Amino acid sequence: MLDFFCLTMCEKNGDTKKRRSNQVDTAGSLRQEAETCYRLTLPEDFYQFWRFCEELDPEKPSDALVSSVGLRLVGPYDILAGKHKKAKSTNPDFSLHWRFFYDPPEFQTILVVDSKTQYHMGYFRDVPDELPVWVGANEAKKSCVISQVGDNVFAAVKLFLSKKLKEMTDKKKIAILKDIDEKLTRTAKELGYSLEQKTVKMKQRDKKVVTKAFHGAGLVVPVDKNDVGYRELPETNANLRRICKAIVDASTDDERLKAFAPIQEMLTFVQFANDECDYGMGYELGIDLFCYGSHYFHKTVGQLLPLAYTLLQRSLFADIIQSHLANRREEPLDQLAP
Protein backbone atom coordinates (compact mmCIF):
# COMPACT_ATOMS: atom_id res chain seq x y z
CA MET A 1 0.00 0.00 0.00
CA LEU A 2 1.38 3.40 -1.05
CA ASP A 3 2.20 5.79 1.76
CA PHE A 4 1.46 9.50 1.31
CA PHE A 5 3.16 10.72 4.49
CA CYS A 6 6.22 12.08 2.71
CA LEU A 7 4.32 14.36 0.33
CA THR A 8 3.69 16.88 3.10
CA MET A 9 7.42 17.19 3.70
CA CYS A 10 8.12 19.13 0.45
CA GLU A 11 10.06 22.36 0.84
CA LYS A 12 11.15 21.43 4.37
CA ASN A 13 14.61 22.91 4.28
CA GLY A 14 15.59 26.53 3.84
CA ASP A 15 17.84 26.01 0.81
CA THR A 16 14.89 24.70 -1.18
CA LYS A 17 12.75 27.67 -0.12
CA LYS A 18 15.35 30.04 -1.57
CA ARG A 19 15.03 28.33 -4.95
CA ARG A 20 11.25 28.10 -4.93
CA SER A 21 11.03 30.68 -7.73
CA ASN A 22 13.13 28.33 -9.88
CA GLN A 23 10.99 25.26 -9.26
CA VAL A 24 10.69 22.98 -12.25
CA ASP A 25 7.14 22.65 -13.53
CA THR A 26 7.45 18.86 -13.85
CA ALA A 27 3.86 17.65 -14.09
CA GLY A 28 2.48 17.55 -10.55
CA SER A 29 1.15 14.05 -11.10
CA LEU A 30 4.66 12.77 -11.97
CA ARG A 31 6.16 14.43 -8.89
CA GLN A 32 3.48 12.86 -6.75
CA GLU A 33 3.95 9.46 -8.38
CA ALA A 34 7.73 9.49 -7.90
CA GLU A 35 7.52 10.53 -4.26
CA THR A 36 4.59 8.26 -3.48
CA CYS A 37 6.19 5.18 -5.06
CA TYR A 38 9.34 5.67 -3.00
CA ARG A 39 7.60 7.13 0.07
CA LEU A 40 10.38 9.72 0.07
CA THR A 41 10.45 13.44 -0.68
CA LEU A 42 12.81 14.33 -3.51
CA PRO A 43 14.82 17.58 -3.39
CA GLU A 44 14.37 20.33 -5.95
CA ASP A 45 17.79 19.66 -7.54
CA PHE A 46 16.47 16.22 -8.58
CA TYR A 47 13.81 17.88 -10.77
CA GLN A 48 16.11 20.70 -11.93
CA PHE A 49 18.63 18.12 -13.17
CA TRP A 50 15.86 16.32 -15.08
CA ARG A 51 15.03 19.61 -16.83
CA PHE A 52 18.74 20.08 -17.63
CA CYS A 53 18.83 16.61 -19.25
CA GLU A 54 15.57 17.32 -21.11
CA GLU A 55 17.29 20.30 -22.72
CA LEU A 56 20.23 18.09 -23.76
CA ASP A 57 17.97 15.34 -25.14
CA PRO A 58 14.21 16.09 -25.21
CA GLU A 59 13.40 12.59 -26.51
CA LYS A 60 15.32 10.57 -23.92
CA PRO A 61 16.45 12.71 -20.97
CA SER A 62 17.43 9.55 -19.00
CA ASP A 63 20.07 8.77 -21.64
CA ALA A 64 21.19 12.35 -22.29
CA LEU A 65 24.60 11.75 -20.63
CA VAL A 66 25.17 8.11 -21.60
CA SER A 67 27.23 8.48 -24.78
CA SER A 68 29.25 11.49 -23.57
CA VAL A 69 29.68 11.11 -19.82
CA GLY A 70 28.66 7.47 -19.31
CA LEU A 71 25.94 8.28 -16.76
CA ARG A 72 22.33 7.09 -16.97
CA LEU A 73 19.47 8.52 -14.94
CA VAL A 74 17.63 5.73 -13.07
CA GLY A 75 15.61 5.07 -9.92
CA PRO A 76 12.99 7.79 -9.36
CA TYR A 77 13.99 9.29 -12.73
CA ASP A 78 12.45 6.18 -14.33
CA ILE A 79 9.08 7.39 -13.08
CA LEU A 80 9.57 10.85 -14.63
CA ALA A 81 10.43 8.98 -17.86
CA GLY A 82 7.21 6.96 -17.61
CA LYS A 83 9.10 3.68 -17.48
CA HIS A 84 6.85 2.37 -14.70
CA LYS A 85 3.91 2.42 -17.14
CA LYS A 86 5.65 -0.07 -19.46
CA ALA A 87 7.07 -2.35 -16.77
CA LYS A 88 6.48 -6.09 -16.91
CA SER A 89 5.79 -6.27 -13.17
CA THR A 90 2.40 -4.93 -12.09
CA ASN A 91 3.53 -4.48 -8.49
CA PRO A 92 7.20 -3.41 -8.47
CA ASP A 93 9.00 -2.97 -5.14
CA PHE A 94 10.47 0.51 -5.44
CA SER A 95 12.53 0.03 -2.29
CA LEU A 96 14.56 -2.48 -4.36
CA HIS A 97 14.59 -0.55 -7.64
CA TRP A 98 18.28 -0.08 -8.51
CA ARG A 99 19.27 -1.04 -4.97
CA PHE A 100 22.82 -2.39 -5.13
CA PHE A 101 24.27 -5.06 -2.84
CA TYR A 102 25.81 -2.69 -0.28
CA ASP A 103 23.23 0.12 -0.44
CA PRO A 104 21.89 0.73 3.08
CA PRO A 105 18.28 1.95 3.43
CA GLU A 106 19.61 5.52 3.72
CA PHE A 107 20.85 5.37 0.09
CA GLN A 108 18.63 5.97 -2.97
CA THR A 109 20.25 5.38 -6.39
CA ILE A 110 19.63 8.03 -9.05
CA LEU A 111 22.59 7.64 -11.46
CA VAL A 112 24.47 4.59 -12.74
CA VAL A 113 27.52 3.91 -14.88
CA ASP A 114 27.66 0.80 -17.03
CA SER A 115 30.89 -0.38 -15.46
CA LYS A 116 32.35 -3.57 -14.05
CA THR A 117 32.66 -1.93 -10.63
CA GLN A 118 28.91 -1.08 -10.43
CA TYR A 119 29.65 2.59 -9.83
CA HIS A 120 26.46 4.43 -8.91
CA MET A 121 25.41 7.66 -7.22
CA GLY A 122 22.45 8.39 -5.02
CA TYR A 123 20.90 10.54 -2.34
CA PHE A 124 21.86 9.76 1.26
CA ARG A 125 19.32 10.54 4.01
CA ASP A 126 19.72 10.26 7.76
CA VAL A 127 15.96 10.29 8.28
CA PRO A 128 13.38 9.08 5.73
CA ASP A 129 10.95 11.99 6.16
CA GLU A 130 13.63 14.63 5.65
CA LEU A 131 15.48 15.70 2.51
CA PRO A 132 18.84 14.08 1.63
CA VAL A 133 21.96 15.32 3.43
CA TRP A 134 24.18 14.80 0.40
CA VAL A 135 24.83 12.75 -2.76
CA GLY A 136 27.04 9.69 -2.33
CA ALA A 137 28.80 7.23 -4.61
CA ASN A 138 29.61 3.54 -4.25
CA GLU A 139 31.31 0.85 -6.33
CA ALA A 140 29.44 -2.26 -5.23
CA LYS A 141 31.87 -4.72 -6.83
CA LYS A 142 34.75 -3.19 -4.84
CA SER A 143 33.42 -2.48 -1.33
CA CYS A 144 30.66 -1.09 0.87
CA VAL A 145 32.32 2.36 1.11
CA ILE A 146 30.10 5.34 0.28
CA SER A 147 31.95 8.55 -0.61
CA GLN A 148 30.47 12.05 -0.48
CA VAL A 149 30.35 13.73 -3.92
CA GLY A 150 28.38 16.93 -3.26
CA ASP A 151 25.19 18.17 -1.65
CA ASN A 152 23.20 18.11 -4.92
CA VAL A 153 23.17 16.14 -8.16
CA PHE A 154 24.77 18.97 -10.20
CA ALA A 155 27.84 18.94 -7.91
CA ALA A 156 28.05 15.13 -8.06
CA VAL A 157 27.97 15.06 -11.88
CA LYS A 158 30.42 18.00 -12.09
CA LEU A 159 32.92 16.02 -9.96
CA PHE A 160 32.41 12.92 -12.11
CA LEU A 161 32.92 15.01 -15.27
CA SER A 162 36.10 16.61 -13.91
CA LYS A 163 37.64 13.21 -13.18
CA LYS A 164 36.64 11.93 -16.61
CA LEU A 165 38.21 14.95 -18.32
CA LYS A 166 41.53 14.30 -16.55
CA GLU A 167 41.57 10.71 -17.86
CA MET A 168 40.48 11.58 -21.42
CA THR A 169 42.95 11.82 -24.31
CA ASP A 170 40.60 11.90 -27.34
CA LYS A 171 40.31 15.57 -28.40
CA LYS A 172 36.79 15.22 -29.85
CA LYS A 173 35.50 13.57 -26.68
CA ILE A 174 37.25 16.19 -24.54
CA ALA A 175 35.46 18.95 -26.51
CA ILE A 176 32.06 17.26 -25.97
CA LEU A 177 32.70 16.83 -22.24
CA LYS A 178 33.87 20.44 -21.86
CA ASP A 179 30.70 21.65 -23.59
CA ILE A 180 28.49 19.65 -21.19
CA ASP A 181 30.63 20.79 -18.24
CA GLU A 182 30.15 24.44 -19.20
CA LYS A 183 26.37 24.03 -19.62
CA LEU A 184 26.08 22.19 -16.30
CA THR A 185 28.21 24.76 -14.46
CA ARG A 186 26.20 27.65 -15.92
CA THR A 187 22.84 26.02 -15.08
CA ALA A 188 23.90 25.16 -11.52
CA LYS A 189 25.12 28.71 -10.87
CA GLU A 190 21.92 30.22 -12.29
CA LEU A 191 19.89 28.01 -9.96
CA GLY A 192 22.09 28.76 -6.95
CA TYR A 193 23.54 25.29 -6.38
CA SER A 194 26.99 24.84 -4.89
CA LEU A 195 29.40 22.79 -7.03
CA GLU A 196 31.75 22.06 -4.13
CA GLN A 197 32.38 18.46 -3.19
CA LYS A 198 32.10 19.39 0.50
CA THR A 199 29.80 22.25 1.48
CA VAL A 200 29.34 24.00 4.82
CA LYS A 201 26.03 22.17 5.22
CA MET A 202 27.79 18.82 4.76
CA LYS A 203 30.47 19.79 7.30
CA GLN A 204 27.74 20.69 9.79
CA ARG A 205 26.18 17.27 9.29
CA ASP A 206 29.59 15.65 9.90
CA LYS A 207 29.57 17.16 13.40
CA LYS A 208 26.38 15.21 14.20
CA VAL A 209 27.90 11.86 13.16
CA VAL A 210 28.28 9.54 16.16
CA THR A 211 30.28 6.86 14.29
CA LYS A 212 31.61 6.44 10.74
CA ALA A 213 30.47 2.77 10.50
CA PHE A 214 31.94 0.35 7.95
CA HIS A 215 30.55 2.28 4.96
CA GLY A 216 32.23 5.52 6.06
CA ALA A 217 29.12 7.63 5.44
CA GLY A 218 28.56 8.04 9.16
CA LEU A 219 25.49 7.47 11.30
CA VAL A 220 23.43 10.22 12.89
CA VAL A 221 21.14 9.58 15.86
CA PRO A 222 19.56 11.99 18.35
CA VAL A 223 21.75 12.35 21.45
CA ASP A 224 20.39 14.43 24.34
CA LYS A 225 22.30 16.67 26.76
CA ASN A 226 22.89 13.67 29.05
CA ASP A 227 24.54 11.76 26.19
CA VAL A 228 21.59 9.38 25.91
CA GLY A 229 21.05 8.04 22.38
CA TYR A 230 24.32 6.33 21.49
CA ARG A 231 26.97 4.20 23.13
CA GLU A 232 30.06 2.77 21.48
CA LEU A 233 30.43 -0.86 20.50
CA PRO A 234 32.92 -2.74 22.72
CA GLU A 235 35.04 -3.57 19.64
CA THR A 236 36.94 -1.31 17.25
CA ASN A 237 36.06 -1.48 13.55
CA ALA A 238 39.27 -3.44 12.91
CA ASN A 239 38.45 -5.99 15.62
CA LEU A 240 34.85 -6.33 14.44
CA ARG A 241 36.08 -7.03 10.91
CA ARG A 242 38.41 -9.73 12.29
CA ILE A 243 35.49 -11.31 14.18
CA CYS A 244 33.37 -11.25 11.01
CA LYS A 245 36.19 -12.78 8.96
CA ALA A 246 36.61 -15.61 11.48
CA ILE A 247 32.89 -16.39 11.21
CA VAL A 248 32.85 -16.37 7.41
CA ASP A 249 36.11 -18.36 7.08
CA ALA A 250 35.13 -21.05 9.62
CA SER A 251 35.45 -24.51 8.06
CA THR A 252 32.70 -26.17 10.14
CA ASP A 253 29.40 -25.13 11.72
CA ASP A 254 30.86 -25.78 15.18
CA GLU A 255 33.78 -23.46 14.49
CA ARG A 256 31.41 -20.84 13.15
CA LEU A 257 29.23 -21.06 16.24
CA LYS A 258 32.27 -20.51 18.46
CA ALA A 259 33.43 -17.62 16.29
CA PHE A 260 29.97 -16.05 16.70
CA ALA A 261 30.40 -15.77 20.50
CA PRO A 262 31.68 -12.14 20.49
CA ILE A 263 28.71 -11.10 18.30
CA GLN A 264 26.31 -12.82 20.71
CA GLU A 265 27.89 -10.91 23.57
CA MET A 266 27.45 -7.64 21.66
CA LEU A 267 23.79 -8.48 21.03
CA THR A 268 23.33 -8.69 24.81
CA PHE A 269 24.99 -5.26 25.17
CA VAL A 270 22.63 -3.91 22.50
CA GLN A 271 19.63 -5.14 24.47
CA PHE A 272 20.88 -3.27 27.55
CA ALA A 273 21.55 -0.19 25.40
CA ASN A 274 18.03 -0.27 23.91
CA ASP A 275 16.54 -0.56 27.40
CA GLU A 276 18.39 2.64 28.31
CA CYS A 277 17.44 4.47 25.06
CA ASP A 278 20.92 4.24 23.47
CA TYR A 279 19.41 3.08 20.18
CA GLY A 280 22.50 4.00 18.14
CA MET A 281 24.46 0.96 19.35
CA GLY A 282 22.21 -1.64 17.71
CA TYR A 283 21.96 0.61 14.64
CA GLU A 284 25.75 0.67 14.29
CA LEU A 285 26.22 -3.07 14.78
CA GLY A 286 23.41 -3.84 12.32
CA ILE A 287 24.84 -1.53 9.63
CA ASP A 288 28.38 -2.91 10.11
CA LEU A 289 27.22 -6.53 9.76
CA PHE A 290 25.12 -5.58 6.72
CA CYS A 291 28.15 -3.85 5.19
CA TYR A 292 30.36 -6.88 5.77
CA GLY A 293 28.15 -8.50 3.18
CA SER A 294 28.01 -12.17 4.20
CA HIS A 295 24.74 -14.07 4.25
CA TYR A 296 25.84 -15.50 7.61
CA PHE A 297 24.91 -12.15 9.15
CA HIS A 298 21.56 -11.62 7.46
CA LYS A 299 19.54 -13.17 10.28
CA THR A 300 21.31 -11.01 12.90
CA VAL A 301 20.96 -7.88 10.73
CA GLY A 302 17.26 -8.74 10.37
CA GLN A 303 16.97 -8.72 14.16
CA LEU A 304 19.02 -5.57 14.73
CA LEU A 305 18.14 -3.04 12.05
CA PRO A 306 14.33 -3.18 11.80
CA LEU A 307 14.20 -2.76 15.58
CA ALA A 308 16.78 0.06 15.60
CA TYR A 309 14.97 1.92 12.83
CA THR A 310 11.63 1.49 14.60
CA LEU A 311 13.07 2.78 17.90
CA LEU A 312 14.58 5.74 16.02
CA GLN A 313 11.19 6.38 14.36
CA ARG A 314 12.56 5.63 10.89
CA SER A 315 10.06 2.92 10.04
CA LEU A 316 10.42 3.26 6.25
CA PHE A 317 14.08 2.23 6.59
CA ALA A 318 12.93 -0.82 8.58
CA ASP A 319 10.68 -1.81 5.64
CA ILE A 320 13.51 -1.27 3.14
CA ILE A 321 16.08 -3.39 5.00
CA GLN A 322 13.61 -6.25 5.37
CA SER A 323 12.84 -6.21 1.64
CA HIS A 324 16.53 -5.99 0.77
CA LEU A 325 17.60 -8.87 3.03
CA ALA A 326 14.91 -11.06 1.48
CA ASN A 327 16.13 -10.20 -2.04
CA ARG A 328 19.82 -9.33 -1.66
CA ARG A 329 21.70 -10.00 -4.88
CA GLU A 330 24.96 -8.88 -6.43
CA GLU A 331 23.23 -7.81 -9.61
CA PRO A 332 21.01 -4.75 -9.10
CA LEU A 333 17.30 -5.28 -9.48
CA ASP A 334 15.73 -3.13 -12.17
CA GLN A 335 12.16 -3.47 -10.96
CA LEU A 336 10.83 -1.75 -14.08
CA ALA A 337 12.36 -3.94 -16.80
CA PRO A 338 9.93 -3.99 -19.75
Side-chain angles (χ1 to χ4, degrees):
M1 182 179 172
L2 295 174
D3 189 338
F4 289 86
F5 84 92
C6 69
L7 297 178
T8 60
M9 298 301 295
C10 288
E11 313 305 349
K12 187 165 181 183
N13 85 355
D15 290 345
T16 309
K17 285 178 184 172
K18 286 177 198 169
R19 305 187 191 107
R20 204 172 268 170
S21 59
N22 293 321
Q23 271 195 344
V24 179
D25 60 350
T26 305
S29 60
L30 281 176
R31 277 184 179 244
Q32 186 163 320
E33 270 190 87
E35 299 189 5
T36 302
C37 286
Y38 276 92
R39 296 186 283 166
L40 292 164
T41 304
L42 291 157
E44 198 58 32
D45 65 277
F46 171 82
Y47 299 105
Q48 298 282 12
F49 193 74
W50 177 254
R51 169 58 64 84
F52 172 73
C53 290
E54 276 183 322
E55 288 170 5
L56 293 178
D57 186 344
E59 293 298 310
K60 283 190 174 180
S62 297
D63 295 339
L65 299 172
V66 171
S67 60
S68 54
V69 186
L71 287 171
R72 183 151 50 101
L73 280 64
V74 297
Y77 281 123
D78 289 332
I79 295 165
L80 300 191
K83 194 176 171 186
H84 59 308
K85 292 171 184 173
K86 303 166 194 168
K88 195 183 290 181
S89 171
T90 53
N91 190 28
D93 185 347
F94 285 95
S95 67
L96 295 177
H97 186 47
W98 287 101
R99 182 160 295 282
F100 287 75
F101 190 79
Y102 288 111
D103 290 351
E106 292 80 1
F107 193 94
Q108 178 188 28
T109 301
I110 55 170
L111 294 161
V112 296
V113 177
D114 291 325
S115 70
K116 289 176 183 175
T117 65
Q118 291 186 341
Y119 182 94
H120 59 292
M121 290 189 266
Y123 289 121
F124 192 95
R125 291 170 176 80
D126 290 321
V127 182
D129 56 2
E130 291 180 9
L131 291 169
V133 287
W134 38 259
V135 178
N138 168 256
E139 292 178 281
K141 287 290 184 184
K142 285 187 175 180
S143 75
C144 65
V145 173
I146 298 169
S147 53
Q148 298 180 7
V149 289
D151 81 350
N152 64 82
V153 66
F154 288 93
V157 174
K158 167 83 174 175
L159 182 67
F160 187 85
L161 261 170
S162 302
K163 287 178 180 176
K164 208 162 181 71
L165 273 166
K166 286 175 187 173
E167 297 163 3
M168 197 71 70
T169 53
D170 185 303
K171 286 184 180 178
K172 282 185 182 176
K173 287 181 179 176
I174 287 171
I176 292 167
L177 283 180
K178 281 189 173 175
D179 181 55
I180 292 171
D181 187 39
E182 284 167 16
K183 286 176 181 171
L184 183 140
T185 303
R186 187 167 61 248
T187 303
K189 284 184 178 173
E190 284 170 4
L191 294 169
Y193 291 113
S194 167
L195 291 173
E196 293 175 56
Q197 185 178 353
K198 191 92 168 182
T199 63
V200 172
K201 192 174 81 173
M202 291 165 73
K203 287 173 186 171
Q204 286 170 345
R205 185 263 178 185
D206 283 349
K207 290 175 185 173
K208 298 178 190 173
V209 168
V210 294
T211 177
K212 281 287 186 186
F214 280 7
H215 56 38
L219 304 181
V220 171
V221 296
V223 178
D224 70 16
K225 60 184 180 184
N226 297 315
D227 274 346
V228 174
Y230 171 76
R231 69 178 68 173
E232 290 183 351
L233 290 172
E235 300 288 352
T236 62
N237 277 356
N239 280 349
L240 185 53
R241 283 192 181 95
R242 275 195 286 272
I243 291 165
C244 291
K245 188 176 188 305
I247 292 165
V248 173
D249 291 350
S251 53
T252 67
D253 287 345
D254 282 346
E255 273 184 36
R256 188 165 291 111
L257 203 60
K258 285 176 188 171
F260 238 107
I263 300 286
Q264 283 299 139
E265 188 180 24
M266 278 188 267
L267 290 175
T268 303
F269 293 148
V270 166
Q271 286 177 337
F272 293 142
N274 285 342
D275 288 343
E276 293 168 20
C277 301
D278 287 329
Y279 306 140
M281 189 185 201
Y283 179 26
E284 180 182 7
L285 182 58
I287 285 290
D288 285 349
L289 295 179
F290 171 80
C291 287
Y292 198 81
S294 170
H295 66 92
Y296 290 120
F297 303 119
H298 282 186
K299 186 180 176 183
T300 308
V301 173
Q303 293 166 343
L304 287 166
L305 283 184
L307 176 60
Y309 286 131
T310 302
L311 293 170
L312 289 164
Q313 298 182 330
R314 302 173 188 179
S315 57
L316 176 58
F317 288 166
D319 294 346
I320 292 172
I321 194 66
Q322 286 171 317
S323 289
H324 196 188
L325 289 173
N327 299 275
R328 198 176 187 191
R329 301 177 193 173
E330 291 197 4
E331 293 308 312
L333 297 171
D334 181 355
Q335 296 286 309
L336 302 179

